[in-house]
Amino acid sequence: MSELETYRQTARAFLNAMAPKYARPARQGNTVEQDLALGREYMAARYDAGFAGINWSPEFGGQGLSNLHKIAFDAEEMRYGMPVGFFGISLGMPVPMMIHYGQDREFVKERVTKALRGEEIWCQLFSEPSGGSDLAALRTKVEPDGNGWRMNGQKVWTSWAQYADYGVIVTRSDPTVAKHKGLTYFWVDMKAAGVEVRPIKLAGGDSHVNEVFFDDVRLEDNQRMGEVGGGFGLALHTLMIERYIATDSAGFGPHLDLFVKLAKETQLNGRPAIEDGRIRSAIARNHAMRAGLDSITQRAMLMMQAGMQPGPEGSLQKLVAVRSRQKLSELALDLQGTAALPFDQHAYVKEDWGTSWLNAPTGRIAGGSDEVLLNTIAEKVLGLPQDYRPDKGIPFNQIPA
Amino acid sequence: MSMLYDEGQQAIATESRRVLDARMDKGRLLALLEQVGGIDQPFWDTAVEQGWTALALPEEHGGLGLGLTELGLVAQAAGAATSGAPFLTVGYGAAQALLAAGHTGDLAALAGGEKLATVAFAEGSAPLPAKSVVSFADGKLNGTKPAVIGGLKADLAVVLASTNGTPVLVAADLTDVTRTAVPSFDNSRLYADLVFNGTPAVQLAEGAAALGLARDVLARMAVVTAHEQVGGAEALLNIARDYALTRKAFGQPIGAFQSIKHRIAELYGLIEVARANCIHAAASEGTEEFLIAAADARLSATEAYDTASRDCVQIHGGIGVTWDQGLHLHMRRARSLGIEQGNLLFWEDLLVDQLAGEAA
Ligand SMILES: Cc1cc2nc3c(=O)[nH]c(=O)nc-3n(C[C@H](O)[C@H](O)[C@H](O)COP(=O)(O)OP(=O)(O)OC[C@H]3O[C@@H](n4cnc5c(N)ncnc54)[C@H](O)[C@@H]3O)c2cc1C
């Protein structure tokens, strides 16, 4: 058995032991606060068992293992529905950025450990009302204030900000240069004076994203990450860190097996729907597509194991999978007719077609919209030209609003 | 078998592409479209010379002892070049059927390219008819197999026939068979109706075993064809990308318009999904997963190639629909390959039967 396979089995043993207390069935009916408390407990147990910061350096409480080990663990953990959602962004991007760029190394170490144990949560404050895809259009500004900075402005769509202790943030430090040149990156204390968080209720009924307002918030210069004016580069770095994540060809919705089961159980024109050509076609096409994504993932894993760099086709996962999840969920509802009308907003999106359908649009927007991902593939992978950008090269304060 | 190509496999991929790039000629291929019964002889000579006919046959029968992965890589190169002869795939399929039935007399001649073989399974909308209209009795075939791939030139064929309503798989020498050419939109495929009239044939398998073997052979050929489709689709993607970078409209390259660049990016997605399925299918040759993997490869590759030919023509505007520009070579090939080795409808049904546990 390969070393990685052995690792997978150890992980499974740990997860099996944790499951009765923390997995999806145990969470049924929890309020968000109860779930968060349970999540913190699980994170601490996971830390103690040596499954936290798997591919991070031991210097920062990590395990010093490979990206493959991390992906293997994540893929196993995903099957259980553990209460880890609150910590995904925190450990996915902001904390690794602190490890890279945090100035006060002792402070960083302390934060990393607490974040890995689920005691502290970090959020990512990038998007603003003035632009999400167009990150460099942001307006939250910092001005020199003695030996530090003063920050004013607003962020939006900040996941888990209401539970966050800290955040990483991109701000405008110089409005007189081209828009992506005048940005500076900081970490911010979410409990500091002048920070106000207001949850936003999403279409699916939950409120995990927020508006965050900054009113004369004081930042010390040692909260700066990277150079003054280097914020855009750090923002790009932040978005690159998440390359090594477990993928899900079901687009984080229900597995195709559940659709096949539904089609066998549902009658259509007096016959099982699985005998209906339209349903069969949908199943077959989805299977072919998902199998392709799974093979892309498997090959990427093999390449990493062989010390090679996986190809750019990995960037297709979210684009292809979430779109298809959205359509398949629609079809699953359509297939059931009025039987699809009873709805439980708390049903698990990986098991329920209703919540999968209603929450699918967020997956096509968050973390890069479909259109932006297509642009990235076209430009970065295929070498096609950039879009026409009328604001290119113009000082930020001269771009017409 | 691993899903990562090893050095030898990568060499096969580069070398086959290099050879075909150097020797293929669009003018020759275009001329073939307007005649019935011709193949691109330089392509087929290259295939034989390079040992592609021997590639996936066992060494004891004059082959090179390699498998679907290697043949798939050659097929991918052939697909990119819209190669002008169908025998890489159907010759391989026939040889696999003969091999499985232990009927190995002709294999060395097939490996060496001295003989051409094909597979005669399909009848119209039924890629794998359980009750063939061609009958087999007393060692003789009677009836007509319509539009057999390579039927105009093949020396022998593996035929799915029936004996009193029971499927049988037989091998027949085609020397004395009447062949009626089927003029088509892709003539170098050499489609012909084979009219059997007391044609002597040897039984390879009978009943469920015959259908099972025919299905396995069809799945193998579908995987080879899927590679060929991916090769064709990828060639079109590159052509579309290059054109989008150079052709200008409204003061900018058309590739800067999102309806063009996103279309090309979507093609990339379809092709990579199909490629990954092909690699997986070839690597699972001989395992329980093979049939499902073959169906996945086939479905995604057909979608990729059809879509690529549709979109690549569109991206070219008027020049895209001209004879000489030749994009229609791919458009025609996308459809002929889509029909050969089982259409989408067939593979969708087969896949769902497998998934729903209703497989035969
Ligand atoms: C559930 C959820 C959680 C999120 N969490 C966070 C978070 O934690 N931190 C954070 O900073 N942000 C977060 N976001 C914000 C997310 O990154 C943005 O919503 C996203 O980048 C899109 O930006 P936007 O909402 O401003 O839409 P816009 O950028 O205004 O886009 C509107 C539409 O225009 C299209 N569009 C934009 N630019 C182009 C282009 N160049 N070409 C073609 N089409 C284009 C988009 O594709 C979209 O369809 C979250 C969003 C969601 C939905």
Side-chain angles (χ1 to χ4, degrees):
Chain A
M1 198 185 311
S2 75
E3 192 267 326
L4 195 67
E5 197 43 46
T6 316
Y7 183 76
R8 225 180 240 283
Q9 300 220 340
T10 332
R12 227 173 276 156
F14 163 74
L15 291 162
N16 283 335
M18 293 290 113
K21 191 153 178 215
Y22 301 108
R24 173 58 50 183
R27 295 167 59 196
Q28 211 67 45
N30 271 1
T31 63
V32 179
E33 278 68 25
Q34 287 168 330
D35 218 30
L36 175 58
L38 195 70
R40 291 192 198 272
E41 253 186 59
Y42 170 73
M43 294 299 282
R46 192 173 91 171
Y47 182 90
D48 292 338
F51 290 109
I54 291 168
N55 56 344
W56 296 2
S57 142
E59 193 193 339
F60 291 95
Q63 303 297 323
L65 295 171
S66 72
N67 295 322
L68 275 172
H69 290 84
K70 181 201 179 253
I71 298 171
F73 182 85
D74 287 356
E76 292 301 326
E77 189 186 55
M78 193 154 49
R79 295 185 224 279
Y80 290 78
M82 299 295 196
V84 291
F86 308 96
F87 314 95
I89 291 181
S90 174
L91 298 175
M93 290 157 286
V95 175
M97 284 302 283
M98 280 297 281
I99 295 178
H100 273 284
Y101 296 100
Q103 291 187 35
D104 179 343
R105 303 311 281 169
E106 277 317 304
F107 176 79
V108 171
K109 271 190 195 169
E110 224 179 288
R111 299 282 75 69
V112 173
T113 310
K114 289 198 185 277
L116 283 175
R117 297 187 61 88
E119 290 166 24
E120 292 176 356
I121 294 175
W122 285 67
C123 62
Q124 176 171 318
L125 301 142
F126 283 17
S127 304
E128 296 195 5
S130 63
S133 308
D134 187 5
L135 173 61
L138 63 87
R139 297 179 171 278
T140 294
K141 67 174 179 194
V142 290
E143 291 158 304
D145 177 25
N147 53 1
W149 305 80
R150 190 158 30 91
M151 175 164 69
N152 281 285
Q154 183 202 338
K155 296 286 174 178
V156 70
W157 315 124
T158 318
S159 297
W160 311 118
Q162 68 268 55
Y163 307 114
D165 302 278
Y166 299 94
V168 290
I169 188 163
V170 195
T171 66
R172 185 161 306 280
S173 49
D174 184 358
T176 68
V177 295
K179 65 180 189 177
H180 61 282
K181 292 202 171 135
L183 305 179
T184 301
Y185 202 106
F186 293 90
W187 62 263
V188 56
D189 181 350
M190 293 295 285
K191 312 289 184 209
V195 180
E196 191 197 337
V197 178
R198 295 188 202 151
I200 301 171
K201 189 169 179 176
L202 291 177
D206 79 42
S207 308
H208 85 263
V209 299
N210 302 270
E211 293 178 289
V212 183
F213 297 87
F214 301 98
D215 181 14
D216 274 339
V217 173
R218 166 81 190 179
L219 299 171
E220 302 307 326
D221 194 51
N222 70 6
Q223 289 177 248
R224 180 168 49 79
M225 298 164 70
E227 300 300 315
V228 175
F232 193 69
L234 265 74
L236 293 184
H237 186 176
T238 313
L239 302 175
M240 292 290 288
I241 292 178
E242 275 287 77
R243 265 178 314 168
Y244 302 113
I245 51 170
T247 57
D248 180 6
S249 64
F252 304 97
H255 197 277
L256 191 62
D257 288 351
L258 290 182
F259 190 88
V260 172
K261 187 162 173 281
L262 178 69
K264 287 168 101 168
E265 290 167 359
T266 307
Q267 292 285 310
L268 198 57
N269 300 319
R271 291 183 305 154
I274 191 82
E275 292 173 19
D276 186 280
R278 295 160 294 186
I279 300 300
R280 294 170 76 78
S281 181
I283 291 173
R285 299 302 182 98
N286 272 283
H287 192 275
M289 187 276 297
R290 292 172 179 209
L293 293 181
D294 288 339
S295 291
I296 287 175
T297 301
Q298 254 178 289
R299 273 171 52 77
M301 297 280 287
L302 289 170
M303 286 184 190
M304 285 193 263
Q305 257 169 305
M308 296 150 68
Q309 184 75 19
E313 61 275 9
S315 61
L316 292 164
Q317 295 282 351
K318 178 175 102 79
L319 173 70
V320 176
V322 180
R323 271 197 312 210
S324 85
R325 158 191 159 189
Q326 186 173 37
K327 282 194 169 178
L328 190 69
S329 303
E330 278 171 14
L331 182 61
L333 296 180
D334 205 54
L335 173 59
Q336 298 172 75
T338 55
L341 294 173
F343 176 70
D344 169 13
Q345 91 166 53
H346 300 293
Y348 188 28
V349 291
K350 286 193 72 64
E351 285 164 5
D352 182 83
W353 297 106
T355 52
S356 169
W357 158 72
L358 197 55
N359 290 294
T362 58
R364 296 185 55 193
I365 295 164
S369 70
D370 286 5
E371 293 74 17
V372 166
L373 295 179
L374 284 168
N375 263 6
T376 307
I377 290 168
E379 294 168 18
K380 299 284 180 324
V381 182
L382 302 173
L384 286 159
Q386 248 187 14
D387 300 352
Y388 174 53
R389 292 186 174 174
D391 60 2
K392 201 167 180 172
I394 299 176
F396 182 75
N397 58 10
Q398 286 171 36
I399 297 171
Chain B
M1 164 106 35
S2 168
M3 286 204 345
L4 285 191
Y5 292 136
D6 62 28
E7 271 177 34
Q9 290 163 340
Q10 285 170 27
I12 289 174
T14 351
E15 182 59 12
S16 53
R17 184 145 301 187
R18 188 192 65 75
V19 171
L20 289 179
D21 278 352
R23 300 191 192 171
M24 285 293 114
D25 176 74
K26 184 163 72 176
R28 273 198 331 255
L29 295 175
L30 285 171
L32 282 174
L33 293 176
E34 294 188 299
Q35 64 184 74
V36 175
I39 58 164
D40 187 35
Q41 201 59 46
F43 166 72
W44 190 245
D45 292 346
T46 301
V48 175
E49 166 208 305
Q50 296 286 314
W52 296 340
T53 45
L55 208 59
L57 290 180
E59 286 169 280
E60 70 252 43
H61 300 298
L64 296 174
L66 300 170
L68 257 182
T69 298
E70 291 81 6
L71 184 58
L73 286 168
V74 170
Q76 213 164 299
T82 51
S83 63
F87 294 108
L88 269 188
T89 306
V90 289
Y92 161 79
Q96 290 301 314
L98 295 171
L99 189 62
H103 190 80
T104 55
D106 284 318
L107 291 183
L110 292 178
E114 294 102 44
K115 278 194 175 182
L116 297 175
T118 189
V119 168
F121 292 171
E123 291 170 12
S125 59
L128 217 51
K131 289 202 173 90
S132 171
V133 297
V134 175
S135 71
F136 177 67
D138 305 324
K140 297 204 160 54
L141 285 174
N142 281 289
T144 302
K145 271 288 176 184
V148 174
I149 307 154
L152 271 180
K153 277 202 175 16
D155 300 298
L156 61 120
V158 172
V159 184
L160 182 57
S162 66
T163 302
N164 299 325
T166 304
V168 283
L169 201 61
V170 304
D173 186 292
L174 298 180
T175 315
D176 296 324
V177 166
T178 309
R179 310 164 196 243
T180 314
V182 177
S184 174
F185 50 81
D186 194 5
N187 278 326
S188 66
R189 308 306 287 175
L190 300 179
Y191 300 121
D193 295 341
L194 297 185
V195 185
F196 300 105
N197 193 353
T199 310
V202 183
Q203 181 170 310
L204 304 178
E206 187 186 11
L211 263 192
L213 178 54
R215 195 176 65 173
D216 178 63
V217 167
L218 184 66
R220 287 166 175 274
M221 292 190 297
V223 172
V224 178
T225 304
H227 281 84
E228 193 170 348
Q229 292 170 304
V230 166
E234 191 178 21
L236 287 170
L237 169 78
N238 291 333
I239 293 169
R241 194 250 335 264
D242 292 349
Y243 193 70
L245 282 169
T246 47
R247 173 70 180 172
K248 287 194 172 154
F250 300 94
Q252 59 178 0
I254 57 169
F257 297 114
Q258 285 192 346
S259 57
I260 303 287
K261 73 196 260 196
H262 285 188
R263 207 171 275 214
I264 299 175
E266 297 277 13
L267 281 185
Y268 172 77
L270 291 176
I271 291 167
E272 291 309 319
V273 163
R275 186 201 311 281
N277 276 328
C278 283
I279 293 170
H280 178 232
S284 52
E285 179 182 8
T287 71
E288 271 181 16
E289 294 182 326
F290 180 64
L291 196 57
I292 287 180
D296 287 330
R298 176 63 171 162
L299 290 172
S300 51
T302 297
E303 187 184 359
Y305 200 13
D306 273 338
T307 309
S309 50
R310 229 183 287 125
D311 288 357
C312 187
V313 170
Q314 184 65 22
I315 285 165
H316 278 71
I319 196 81
V321 295
T322 58
W323 182 269
D324 287 343
Q325 215 282 343
L327 287 177
H328 60 113
L329 283 166
H330 277 293
M331 196 174 140
R332 292 162 187 259
R333 183 59 49 81
R335 221 32 344 257
S336 58
L337 292 185
I339 290 169
E340 294 177 11
Q341 320 313 342
N343 53 6
L344 284 175
L345 302 169
F346 170 84
W347 285 107
E348 285 181 350
D349 277 332
L350 185 145
L351 178 55
V352 175
D353 284 347
Q354 294 292 316
L355 295 176
E358 292 161 8

